[in-house]
Amino acid sequence: MPEPVPEAAPPADGAGSEVDDDENQSTSLSGLFVEKPAENVVAVAGSDVTFVAKVDASTLTRKPTMKWLKGKWLDLGSKAGKHLQFKETYDRNTKIYTYEMKIVKVVAGDAGGYRCEVTAKDKCDSSTFEISVEAAHQEGQADILSAFKRADAGEDEGDLDFSALLKATKKKKKPEKEEPEIDVWELLKNAHPSEYEKIAFQYGITDLRGMLKRLKKMKEVQKPSEAFLKRLESCYSVEKGKKIVMSCEVLDPNVQVKWLKNGQEIKPSAKYVMEANGNVRTLTINKSNLSDDAAYECVVGEDKCSTEVYVKEPPITITKLMDDYHVVVGERVEFEIEVSEEGAHVMWAFEDQEITKDKDSSKYRFKKDGKKHTLIIQEATLDDAGMYHAWTNGGHTKGELEVEEKELEVLQDIADLTVRATDQAVFKCEVSDDKVTGKWFKDGVEVLPSERIKMSHIGRFHRLVIDDVKPEDAGDYTFVPDGYALSLSAKLNFLEIKIDYVPRQDPPKIHLDTTGNMVSQNTIIVVAGNKLRLDVEITGEPAPTVVWSKGEEAVVATEGRVRVESRKDLSCFVIEGAERTDEGNYTICVTNPVGEDKAVLFIKIVDVPDPPENVKCTGVGEDCATIVWEPPKFDGGAPIKGYLMERKKKGSSRWTKLNFDVYESTTYEAKRMIEGVLYEMRVFAVNSIGLSQPSLNSKPFMPIAPTSEPTRLTVHDVTDSTCSLRWLAPEKIGAGGLDGYVIEYCKEGDTEWVAANTDLWEKQGFVVRGLPVGEKINFRVVAVNIAGRSPPATLSQPVTIREVVEHPKIRLPRELRTKYIRRVGDKINLTIPFQGKPHPIATWLKDGQPVDPKMVNVRNTNVDSILFIRSAEREHSGTYELVLKIENMEDRATISIRVIEKPGPPVNVRVTDVWGFNAALEWEPPKDDGNSEVTGYTIQKADMKTKEWFTVYEHNRRTNCTVSDLIMGNEYQFRVYSENLCGLSEEPRMSKNTAVIAKTGLELKQAAYKEKDMACAPKFTQPLVDRSVVAGYSTAISCSVRGFPKPKIVWMKNRMIIGEDPKFLMQNNQGVLTLNIRKPSTFDAGKYCCMAVNDLGQDEVECKLDVRVAIETENK
């Protein structure tokens, strides 16, 4: 849509422009604004400023559309929020729309040029204004240049400046060296237009267009141009990809012009098409892009006219939103979004600070892959936690990053050992991170590896192995993981063996170690999946026999998952990868000839709990949701300590933790959610062993809130049993939308409300029926959406159910209060509104009789009556009366309809007298006046020799006339037309007799005839003009010559006579000579000459024809 700015171009110098879209449509500029915003506003930083624009809608067929723009393309409607607020009101009496834009707490980034643009079908209007921002408590006048400088004064002036979208940061500025002040206005005044961009880059100016507009006002008024009749418009606006046409008018139709873009001459191509049509010179730019946003000039000799073209780029929207992340310190984070177009500019920000490549290149990386844009944080730290934003010129998204410290979990602690001389001691522990390294210490001194002492780290397991244990190896051993404030300790006990040389017999004895996994004298707890190795020391002489059993079943296997290993004085019971079925009572029985000993052990298998069940959402709010679930069926053998919750957006694979400390209840309220976005939840159960598997995902749910209450609830009508209500939609609807309304009522004094509608009502009006007569009823309306019911809108007073009798009243339109005239064949459609209660009965009469339904169609409603005649005839004329009755009251309205047509011809047209050069005519009015008064007559005459008719009188109101200035010797006949409101009669009436103008005794003396000598040598009155044409397009060159006798014409090319070549067509029309050249090629270029020769001499003219080849651009 074209957007010329009429304020910048005086009417005298303006030139018409045309910007064609795909359908070759254009929008005309018209003055729609009644009140425009102030052109220049100076605002103090931190204060509020409001701009008001008013539009007259009295001549518009539909509601106008208002846009507030910053710069040349940034639509501020998508930025509405706390900082930018928009308001629209409508006055029904004056039919004026009022639009307001309020900037809350103005910041430096709000400075610049703005435009408000209103469109309504085929009309548009725009107004520009500028904002300058002054620092608070600043003395003196603010530097106007600061309104055009960007906040960070970056290098790349071509990139989008989003600094106005971010909060100002308080940073201490480094002291700068004082430089002499330079007047940029003077630089721009004296600079060539091609230098403007360079000056703007050097001095950090972003709103160059705004400065150039001010500069134009500062310049003196130029003298009228001697080369241009009509200059270019001051500026043009076009959407990216569309076509724009710029045109001007020159004084000399044969002059050659040059077109310049930013001071550089434009060569003709498929993109840039230059045309010359008489005095009009046109430049057409096809498929405009951002590179066409520049200053253009049309140059004629030393004179020129200039304009600027604004190319509007469509806003870039975000198609895939940013996800939330929850990571631990050191992990990699990738925030990814998708935009609507490739190559779009995206600005990233952390909290309120923009992330740039130059400042944050070591910490952040930016990645572009087509429409995908990614912000990468290589190693997250605690300082990186917060809200991250991504901005485009048409959208915004955000995602939260949560970073927590690494927590090292001990999966298996090291245990105390008691070993004998020459045996092997093995300390083993398991931690949660397989990348963690550590050191071993003995009594506070680091243990170093040797041939006897070996240390290993395999995955999550850390081992210290001491071979050939010696008494000096006893002590406290500690494992310390690197980077964590954590240590694991155990004690190594050396067992001395005393040899008794006195042979003796001892009964068998079982020595159980109660310091390891035993929680009581006979209970051992094992974590599922872990290995249980139970070493039981046995004494007795002679060596006893050992038998292990579970229940009544003996365990005799020496290999496999559950096995028994026997050593001297030691019996080992081993369970590899403990399972829940391994839980139970185990018995060890030792016997020898001296006696026996028995011990019973209970092995308890503990595990992580099963996942919670039936996770579901029971309620939602605007930014929250209530989640409930059931405890796991199996708690793993240990009490449930609590739960951990996670959520994610539907379609995303990134889960976000909602709590870091275990939550004991089975009901949780999730907060800080985005309204209108689908979420899923899952829950983990936690016991002393660890974390369960996640529960099944809950069904997707959406945080939404009920709407606000309906507005402006009023009573429209009341009868004896019904009440008609009307209201407007709620001011706040939200993402849940609006499903419909519920209308409720109750009697005055009651508290029980009754629903008037069973199904949701979608319209904003409802008739409550079946109400008791005379009762006082309270009414209320509730809006309903997926989130539930809104607060009710209630009438301030109860309504008495009783119909109010209102006298019938016909409101006859003003145009029907006088005689209603239509032509035969026209359509008659009369709508007569009326009022009255109860509903009146309408009846139509014609000339006192009921209307014939075969001739006239009548349709009555409760508020109006329609009289319809498809094709009017003369018999439809008459007096129509509308009778409106309510019981014994009535009202009447009379309408006089006259159907007219053209009259018939006059009667008895005759010539009553002839004298001199005059003739008197008389006639009688027509028999048929067409049902309309005859307003006049048209009289025509014709010479009986030529029979050509000429009008003598028009609109002659009398039935007679005198025709004068007749020619002597001629005989005349006359005819007359009748005329009424429909026009002249179809046929005229001829006069019954003729008028003969007799000759008198006059004698004509003819002067002697002297023949004039017309001979002259050939002379060209119009020369040939140089032409430049495109190869393949037919052209013609023309000139004109005079001479007598008729000269012979000879056409030549490069002084060679052009013969009967079918490529050339030579024409001579009354001295106008034309040479048509059919589809010329570059070979046809050259000098063409036209020679005219007769007996008195010769003359010739020549011109130059240039044939150029069309050059097509790559991006055609």
Side-chain angles (χ1 to χ4, degrees), residues 8 41 136 162 170 235 238 268 337 387 391 491 554 568 582 647 692 756 779 857 1016 1043 1060-1061 1114:
V41 176
F162 293 94
K170 298 181 180 180
C235 60
V238 64
I337 65 170
M387 194 66 70
W391 301 83
K491 189 173 184 180
K568 185 180 179 181
D582 296 329
R647 77 170 182 225
S692 72
F779 293 93
N857 295 320
C1016 66
E1060 299 298 327
D1061 191 340
E1114 296 179 358

Side-chain angles (χ1 to χ4, degrees), residues 620-893:
V620 294
E622 185 175 359
D623 61 348
C624 61
T626 302
I627 309 298
V628 297
W629 61 90
E630 296 177 4
K633 291 183 178 179
F634 177 64
D635 61 1
I640 299 294
K641 291 185 176 181
Y643 303 91
L644 296 177
M645 284 69 71
E646 290 185 347
R647 77 170 182 225
K648 74 178 183 67
K649 298 174 184 176
K650 185 180 180 184
S652 173
S653 59
R654 182 71 60 178
W655 289 92
T656 302
K657 285 188 178 180
L658 299 183
N659 62 316
F660 296 101
D661 298 328
V662 292
Y663 185 77
E664 296 181 357
S665 176
T666 57
T667 302
Y668 182 78
E669 184 177 3
K671 299 182 178 180
R672 300 182 66 184
M673 307 175 84
I674 302 174
E675 185 179 7
V677 176
L678 284 172
Y679 288 91
E680 294 177 348
M681 294 280 294
R682 67 182 184 184
V683 183
F684 298 81
V686 182
N687 64 3
S688 58
I689 306 304
L691 197 66
S692 72
Q693 291 296 317
S695 67
L696 296 177
N697 295 353
S698 67
K699 291 184 179 180
F701 61 91
M702 180 186 298
I704 52 178
T707 68
S708 60
E709 69 276 3
T711 58
R712 300 180 65 178
L713 175 62
T714 56
V715 177
H716 179 65
D717 191 14
V718 180
T719 67
D720 288 341
S721 61
T722 64
C723 180
S724 178
L725 304 175
R726 288 186 180 179
W727 62 89
L728 296 180
E731 293 182 354
K732 180 182 178 182
I733 294 179
L738 178 61
D739 295 338
Y741 301 93
V742 174
I743 299 89
E744 298 176 335
Y745 65 91
C746 75
K747 295 182 180 180
E748 186 180 20
D750 289 351
T751 58
E752 182 179 354
W753 290 89
V754 180
N757 54 320
T758 55
D759 298 328
L760 291 180
W761 187 257
E762 297 181 357
K763 299 179 182 179
Q764 296 175 1
F766 187 80
V767 179
V768 182
R769 305 182 185 277
L771 299 174
V773 180
E775 290 286 349
K776 290 186 177 182
I777 305 294
N778 289 312
F779 293 93
R780 71 181 185 184
V781 179
V782 178
V784 180
N785 66 1
I786 191 173
R789 295 162 56 99
S790 72
T794 308
L795 289 175
S796 58
Q797 301 180 25
V799 179
T800 302
I801 307 303
R802 178 174 290 118
E803 186 165 22
V804 179
V805 178
E806 182 181 345
H807 286 268
K809 177 65 177 178
I810 300 175
R811 298 192 175 276
L812 193 65
R814 185 181 299 275
E815 64 271 13
L816 299 180
R817 297 177 185 175
T818 58
K819 188 170 292 185
Y820 187 73
I821 299 176
R822 282 293 179 268
R823 298 187 181 186
V824 172
D826 286 356
K827 179 174 66 176
I828 297 177
N829 191 356
L830 305 180
T831 302
I832 313 299
F834 54 75
Q835 64 187 33
K837 291 183 180 180
H839 299 312
I841 299 174
T843 306
W844 284 90
L845 304 175
K846 178 187 177 186
D847 299 329
Q849 299 296 324
V851 296
D852 186 358
K854 296 181 179 179
M855 297 179 62
V856 179
N857 295 320
V858 175
R859 184 180 66 83
N860 296 324
T861 67
N862 294 332
V863 294
D864 59 22
S865 181
I866 299 176
L867 178 73
F868 179 73
I869 301 175
R870 188 174 300 279
S871 179
E873 299 294 341
R874 291 268 294 272
E875 54 266 24
H876 290 132
S877 300
T879 301
Y880 290 80
E881 186 176 19
L882 174 61
V883 181
L884 199 64
K885 289 186 177 182
I886 299 178
E887 297 177 356
N888 58 348
M889 299 177 291
E890 71 173 28
D891 190 17
R892 293 174 178 264

Side-chain angles (χ1 to χ4, degrees), residues 507-522:
K509 182 67 175 177
I510 299 173
H511 302 276
L512 291 176
D513 183 7
T514 62
T515 61
N517 293 327
M518 287 194 180
V519 296
S520 65
Q521 188 67 23
N522 61 345

Side-chain angles (χ1 to χ4, degrees), residues 59 61 149 292 294 351 426 551 628 781 817 854 887 957:
T59 60
T61 59
K149 289 188 176 181
D292 297 320
E351 296 295 351
V426 179
V628 297
V781 179
R817 297 177 185 175
K854 296 181 179 179
E887 297 177 356
R957 301 186 65 85

Side-chain angles (χ1 to χ4, degrees), residues 128-143:
T128 58
F129 57 94
E130 296 181 8
I131 301 177
S132 301
V133 180
E134 291 183 351
H137 309 293
Q138 181 180 0
E139 296 182 359
Q141 185 177 5
D143 181 11

Side-chain angles (χ1 to χ4, degrees), residues 404-662:
E404 64 175 343
E405 284 277 12
K406 286 184 179 179
E407 293 185 2
L408 189 65
E409 185 177 355
V410 178
L411 302 180
Q412 182 179 348
D413 202 348
I414 59 177
D416 295 342
L417 297 178
T418 301
V419 296
R420 293 175 295 187
T422 71
D423 283 353
Q424 183 188 65
V426 179
F427 290 103
K428 181 178 72 171
C429 65
E430 182 184 0
V431 294
S432 58
D433 191 348
D434 58 356
K435 297 180 181 179
V436 172
T437 60
K439 296 179 182 179
W440 292 88
F441 295 86
K442 177 195 173 188
D443 297 330
V445 179
E446 185 177 356
V447 178
L448 300 178
S450 63
E451 294 182 358
R452 198 167 57 85
I453 301 175
K454 297 180 178 59
M455 290 171 285
S456 64
H457 171 205
I458 301 174
R460 296 180 299 182
F461 293 92
H462 296 261
R463 289 182 175 87
L464 173 64
V465 180
I466 305 175
D467 295 327
D468 190 15
V469 175
K470 299 179 180 180
E472 58 267 22
D473 294 328
D476 292 328
Y477 287 82
T478 304
F479 175 73
V480 179
D482 294 335
Y484 294 92
L486 177 68
S487 63
L488 307 177
S489 299
K491 189 173 184 180
L492 177 61
N493 299 312
F494 183 77
L495 180 63
E496 294 184 1
I497 301 176
K498 295 182 180 180
I499 302 175
D500 191 356
Y501 295 98
V502 179
R504 68 172 183 266
Q505 290 185 342
D506 291 331
K509 182 67 175 177
I510 299 173
H511 302 276
L512 291 176
D513 183 7
T514 62
T515 61
N517 293 327
M518 287 194 180
V519 296
S520 65
Q521 188 67 23
N522 61 345
T523 302
I524 299 175
I525 295 178
V526 182
V527 178
N530 286 0
K531 177 179 178 182
L532 171 64
R533 182 182 182 91
L534 185 58
D535 295 334
V536 179
E537 183 182 357
I538 300 171
T539 61
E541 287 292 338
T545 302
V546 181
V547 177
W548 288 86
S549 61
K550 179 183 180 184
E552 300 297 330
E553 182 181 354
V555 180
V556 296
T558 58
E559 293 182 355
R561 190 178 66 84
V562 181
R563 62 185 182 271
V564 176
E565 298 177 358
S566 297
R567 298 182 186 178
K568 185 180 179 181
D569 299 334
L570 196 68
S571 179
C572 298
F573 181 72
V574 180
I575 300 178
E576 296 277 0
E579 299 177 355
R580 292 182 185 177
T581 56
D582 296 329
E583 184 174 311
N585 289 312
Y586 289 80
T587 304
I588 177 173
C589 181
V590 293
T591 59
N592 69 359
V594 180
E596 83 173 2
D597 193 8
K598 183 183 293 187
V600 178
L601 301 175
F602 179 71
I603 298 179
K604 183 177 182 181
I605 308 298
V606 294
D607 197 358
V608 296
D610 289 345
E613 298 181 344
N614 297 331
V615 180
K616 58 185 177 181
C617 175
T618 60
V620 294
E622 185 175 359
D623 61 348
C624 61
T626 302
I627 309 298
V628 297
W629 61 90
E630 296 177 4
K633 291 183 178 179
F634 177 64
D635 61 1
I640 299 294
K641 291 185 176 181
Y643 303 91
L644 296 177
M645 284 69 71
E646 290 185 347
R647 77 170 182 225
K648 74 178 183 67
K649 298 174 184 176
K650 185 180 180 184
S652 173
S653 59
R654 182 71 60 178
W655 289 92
T656 302
K657 285 188 178 180
L658 299 183
N659 62 316
F660 296 101
D661 298 328
V662 292

